[in-house]
Amino acid sequence: MALNEQDREDLMREATAFYPRAELHVDHELLPVFWGQKKNGNFSFYFGSDPVYQFDQSGRLRRAYIDGYLYRTQGNTLARLSRERNSKESTLKRYDLTITESAGLLQAMSNRFLKLDSAFGKQHEIRFLQSVADCSQCELQELIQTQMKQILQHSDQLAPRIPGKR
């Protein structure tokens, strides 16, 4: 995630842990879509500053940032985290989603990626704004589309619990 919760505007310059990475204009999205992959194969999609989805190598959701909340996989459900601040301290509040709430969040995510995948099928609806990669734009697009297919294939599954996070 960004250094500052409100500051995600220049991911192409600052998100150096993602390589390769790309910024895309998608006709049906108001803001550019950022995609990046880490060395370990985990990858992320940023739809503007919110929502943000982070996946493991198989396309299972690890973390998400939606409507100002951080969601983190617990293996079988998601925890919604919010930060409450006052002049003396910052407290992290946690709520474990019910099965129904978790399924609803995953379905909304799946719908967004179905729409994005459809846009990739219509070349005129997507264009690369910029990218940092050692491969051609065509190869980069194939990689992104492969990862979207993984997301859609595993959209009802969560990544294993993040180690050290309960």
Side-chain angles (χ1 to χ4, degrees):
M1 302 295 249
L3 294 175
N4 179 324
E5 292 172 11
Q6 303 302 315
D7 183 21
R8 293 186 177 87
E9 65 273 350
D10 199 358
L11 288 166
M12 286 303 296
R13 182 172 41 108
E14 295 177 9
T16 57
F18 291 111
Y19 189 85
R21 60 187 178 273
E23 185 178 49
L24 310 165
H25 167 80
V26 181
D27 281 355
H28 68 264
E29 295 289 342
L30 294 175
L31 298 170
V33 175
F34 172 87
W35 165 87
Q37 179 175 300
K38 292 188 174 184
K39 286 181 183 178
N40 65 3
N42 291 353
F43 58 94
S44 300
F45 284 86
Y46 289 64
F47 294 85
S49 62
D50 187 342
V52 173
Y53 299 100
Q54 298 178 345
F55 302 93
D56 69 5
Q57 305 91 330
S58 299
R60 297 174 298 181
L61 185 65
R62 292 185 75 237
R63 293 169 43 135
Y65 185 82
I66 304 168
D67 296 331
Y69 291 102
L70 174 63
Y71 293 85
R72 182 180 69 209
T73 181
Q74 299 300 306
N76 58 354
T77 190
L78 291 164
R80 181 178 63 213
L81 306 171
S82 61
R83 193 170 306 279
E84 293 184 6
R85 295 180 173 100
N86 63 37
S87 61
K88 295 181 182 183
E89 64 184 3
S90 177
T91 306
L92 194 61
K93 300 286 185 180
R94 174 180 160 172
Y95 169 77
D96 288 338
L97 274 64
T98 65
I99 299 289
T100 303
E101 291 168 329
S102 183
L105 186 144
L106 292 172
Q107 184 60 55
M109 177 195 76
S110 179
N111 291 343
R112 184 164 216 140
F113 281 99
L114 279 168
K115 196 170 180 180
L116 183 59
D117 188 48
S118 175
F120 266 101
K122 303 168 190 158
Q123 290 299 319
H124 64 279
E125 291 187 16
I126 290 193
R127 79 175 184 281
F128 279 76
L129 298 174
Q130 53 184 325
S131 62
V132 176
D134 286 333
C135 59
S136 71
Q137 186 174 306
C138 185
E139 291 168 316
L140 195 55
Q141 181 173 327
E142 285 178 25
L143 175 59
I144 295 169
Q145 286 182 276
T146 297
Q147 290 178 342
M148 281 192 305
K149 301 253 187 263
Q150 288 178 307
I151 293 166
L152 293 170
Q153 181 180 6
H154 298 287
S155 64
D156 61 343
Q157 300 172 18
L158 296 171
R161 183 178 62 80
I162 298 172
K165 309 281 183 176
R166 291 224 179 256

